[in-house]
Amino acid sequence: MKNILITGGAGFIGSHVVRLFVKKYPEYHIINLDKLTYAGNLANLKDIENEPNYTFVKADICDYERMTELFQQYDIDGVIHLAAESHVDRSIKDPFTFARTNVMGTLSLLQAAKLHWNGDWNGKRFYHISTDEVYGALELTNPEGIEPPFTTTASSGEHHLAYGADFFYETTKYDPHSPYSASKASSDHFVRAYHDTYGMPTIITNCSNNYGPYQFPEKLIPLFINNIRQQKPLPVYGKGENVRDWLYVEDHARAIDVIFHNGKVADTYNIGGFNEWKNIDLIKVIIKTVDRLLGNPEGHSLGLITYVTDRAGHDLRYAIDSTKLQRELGWEPSLQFEEGIEKTVRWYLDNQEWMDNITSGEYEKYYEEMYKVQI
Ligand code: NAD
Ligand code: DAU
């Protein structure tokens, strides 16, 4: 029996990780610890909430006393730490909350784990889920005059489309720009420090943009699907030229499973889809897919595109090289983007109640406040 603490399990990625572990490992006890902030939603886990190997605990990772009690109460062997404030725009408005949760919260968990494990690291693991945003931003380069996207070859030998010649590798120097990425970089440094100073068996992964079911509709893809459904404006930051590398969330959850069990202690792995999209092109794919599935004529919702003031410090391009993970642990994305985006749009259209429960009330007010100046 292993007792695994998953933090942030009521959020977007966390709920997929909890579901995977609860179903795949009946011999483990999965303890999902979540504060249930605006982003935490137990409706994301309805299908597994009564499983015998699953326990939900509502708690704040910053509450160190509570964390020490929980490690003892459940005799935790492994931690998969996802709890965080995760939205860049919110971090620009309210950096303190990001420092508190992402930095102090991670430190509080590390210290509680250290106290409980008391130097006996055998069979123990502290796995921190981080982001590619810690590496900063890449350029949209144009090698040999070829207009991006152009075909490039990763060191794995795999061909894919890219918007620049550079990529984020595990060796890339940290260079965070937003309060969100600064807080995640800081928490990564604390995790490494606990390995280097005390010998704690830690692992860190840095992943690219996730998409799929249960993502909070402040993030680009669910926000735009919902706005198209309601024929509301689609606020495109700047010129829509920023590039992101998209990975289906269940592929991220599978990578977490593989790395939690087989990853090398003290190591770092990049997780990404080799799937770069310029925002405006991605947005057109979303519009096309939603219109098709709603039975609207092609191009019906293109007029909703509204160019708004750019995000402050908006990173131009993220592109992950996940060759190391593919080579060393045999993981690779299972879904092609076309299939993933189709599944995702269908899920949001089929689960309008899930969305409407979130977008009514408080969030509606926040959204109007957030975007009223820009639109
Ligand atoms: P999310 O915002 O959907 O979920 C975060 C969860 O953490 C929520 O359930 C929330 O209630 C919980 N939480 C927040 N503060 C807490 C606290 N003080 N104590 C306990 N629980 C708290 O986030 P997500 O998109 O699922 O991201 C999960 C993790 O993965 C984060 O650490 C994020 O930095 C990282 N990540 C996300 C992406 C992405 O594309 N979404 C990519 C790479 C890495
Ligand atoms: O790269 C990993 C990161 O991806 C994670 O660490 C973050 O937690 C996650 O939120 C995500 O960050 P982004 O800022 O890239 O995601 P977001 O969905 O907010 O924005 C995606 C792109 O779309 C970005 O270039 C900003 C742009 N955008 C976003 C919103 C919400 C718009 O143009 N309009 C919008 O309304």
Side-chain angles (χ1 to χ4, degrees), residues 164-190:
D166 294 334
F167 293 88
F168 295 141
Y169 300 96
E170 286 81 0
T171 49
T172 302
K173 255 177 70 179
Y174 275 30
D175 183 22
H177 299 144
S178 72
Y180 164 68
S181 52
S183 69
K184 291 296 290 187
S186 172
S187 56
D188 285 356
H189 290 318
F190 270 108

Side-chain angles (χ1 to χ4, degrees), residues 34-265:
D34 199 296
K35 185 183 174 184
L36 298 182
T37 67
Y38 77 94
N41 186 353
L42 288 178
N44 298 358
L45 290 165
K46 269 259 157 284
D47 55 326
I48 57 110
E49 67 186 5
N50 294 321
E51 293 300 329
N53 62 337
Y54 172 69
T55 301
F56 174 71
V57 177
K58 184 174 186 307
D60 184 343
I61 53 168
C62 301
D63 183 347
Y64 173 63
E65 299 298 320
R66 187 83 203 283
M67 292 307 106
T68 58
E69 284 163 19
L70 286 175
F71 269 83
Q72 248 187 352
Q73 182 183 348
Y74 293 105
D75 191 17
I76 300 298
D77 304 295
V79 179
I80 304 179
H81 174 36
L82 297 109
E85 290 292 336
S86 67
H87 192 42
V88 174
D89 293 330
R90 287 182 190 254
S91 82
I92 294 167
K93 290 208 149 188
D94 175 20
F96 282 106
T97 303
F98 281 70
R100 178 182 180 275
T101 295
N102 299 358
V103 185
M104 292 307 290
T106 300
L107 182 55
S108 143
L109 273 178
L110 283 163
Q111 187 63 15
K114 174 175 170 281
L115 189 77
H116 182 62
W117 293 339
N118 195 23
D120 174 12
W121 307 124
N122 197 18
K124 310 296 193 301
R125 188 148 286 205
F126 191 106
Y127 177 3
H128 184 223
I129 308 301
S130 191
T131 170
D132 59 358
E133 299 199 12
V134 298
Y135 296 127
L138 298 164
E139 293 298 320
L140 298 183
T141 46
N142 198 346
E144 295 149 23
I146 306 170
E147 202 47 43
F150 45 84
T151 303
T152 187
T153 311
S155 52
S156 60
E158 197 178 303
H159 303 296
H160 56 93
L161 288 178
Y163 280 81
D166 294 334
F167 293 88
F168 295 141
Y169 300 96
E170 286 81 0
T171 49
T172 302
K173 255 177 70 179
Y174 275 30
D175 183 22
H177 299 144
S178 72
Y180 164 68
S181 52
S183 69
K184 291 296 290 187
S186 172
S187 56
D188 285 356
H189 290 318
F190 270 108
V191 173
R192 284 201 183 91
Y194 267 65
H195 171 267
D196 296 350
T197 308
Y198 308 112
M200 184 180 286
T202 59
I203 294 192
I204 297 171
T205 53
N206 300 87
C207 188
S208 64
N209 286 61
N210 284 216
Y211 71 100
Y214 301 114
Q215 186 167 30
F216 195 84
E218 62 192 350
K219 308 283 166 46
L220 181 77
I221 291 184
L223 174 68
F224 277 36
I225 295 171
N226 196 41
N227 283 10
I228 298 166
R229 173 169 75 89
Q230 301 185 334
Q231 292 292 291
K232 285 185 179 169
L234 306 174
V236 180
Y237 297 165
K239 294 183 180 150
E241 284 183 344
N242 303 66
V243 171
R244 297 290 182 267
D245 172 4
W246 295 93
L247 179 69
Y248 193 68
V249 62
E250 287 179 2
D251 277 330
H252 188 188
R254 280 194 310 106
I256 290 172
D257 177 19
V258 169
I259 294 161
F260 180 72
H261 289 98
N262 303 320
K264 241 189 345 212
V265 164

Side-chain angles (χ1 to χ4, degrees), residues 308-340:
V308 299
T309 314
D310 207 354
R311 175 185 277 175
H314 197 173
D315 286 336
L316 190 53
R317 171 174 171 253
Y318 302 143
I320 274 279
D321 187 304
S322 55
T323 303
K324 172 176 168 184
L325 175 58
Q326 302 190 6
R327 192 183 53 234
E328 293 188 8
L329 300 181
W331 171 92
E332 55 181 39
S334 68
L335 273 196
Q336 291 295 320
F337 184 68
E338 291 66 25
E339 201 185 330

